[in-house]
Amino acid sequence: MSGQDAYGPAPDAAAIEGIARDTIARLPAVFAAHLGDVLLLIEEEADAETLAALGLDHPLDLTGLYHGRPIGEKSSMDSGAMPDSIHLYRQAILAEWVETGVRLDDLVRHVTIHEIGHHFGLSDDDMHALEDAVVD
């Protein structure tokens, strides 16, 4: 009997998106106010071009990615730029979930906040404090 049979089907993209959106909804208002135009995308895995740009060899090595410029680096001259986006990679998240035994909601919350932190140009310590602020 495989792990999937023993525990049911793996969480789908909608389940991961639900956890990520719940995390965003729990952010302090000062952060949430600046995320309205940021796209949240749940993808199966990072594409080869993204992996190559980051110097990664395997799609399971990347659980999330922020595409865009941190708020502090934005300029009024940025018109025409693609919208900022947060990409969560389902297969890599599921692999880390199985490997580490961390609760799925905790893992997705961590990855989501880490990528949001890049949007705001936060340090790792600031990201951890933000994560603590949204924990149940």
Side-chain angles (χ1 to χ4, degrees):
M1 182 180 244
S2 74
Q4 187 168 335
D5 294 331
Y7 301 106
D12 62 10
I16 291 172
E17 181 176 356
I19 297 167
R21 291 206 181 277
D22 179 65
T23 298
I24 292 167
R26 293 172 182 261
L27 289 170
V30 68
F31 290 98
H34 296 284
L35 290 171
D37 294 333
V38 178
L39 301 175
L40 175 64
L41 304 167
I42 312 301
E43 301 174 57
E44 281 302 296
E45 60 187 31
D47 61 33
E49 182 180 340
T50 298
L51 294 171
L54 296 171
L56 299 173
D57 295 322
H58 198 280
L60 296 184
D61 293 336
L62 186 62
T63 56
L65 183 67
Y66 169 72
H67 279 206
R69 292 181 63 193
I71 286 178
E73 296 178 15
K74 291 191 182 286
S75 161
S76 61
M77 306 306 273
D78 290 341
S79 67
M82 295 296 292
D84 293 348
S85 57
I86 293 172
H87 300 254
L88 301 181
Y89 299 111
R90 179 177 168 270
Q91 293 297 325
I93 288 171
L94 295 178
E96 186 170 327
W97 175 49
V98 169
E99 182 179 309
T100 65
V102 171
R103 286 181 19 179
L104 182 64
D105 58 338
D106 289 341
L107 178 57
V108 173
R109 181 183 306 114
H110 174 78
V111 174
T112 301
I113 288 176
H114 185 86
E115 301 315 325
I116 287 169
H118 288 302
H119 175 67
F120 288 100
L122 299 179
S123 70
D124 284 343
D125 287 342
D126 290 337
M127 288 181 206
H128 290 298
L130 184 57
E131 188 171 354
D132 290 344
V134 300
V135 172
D136 300 331

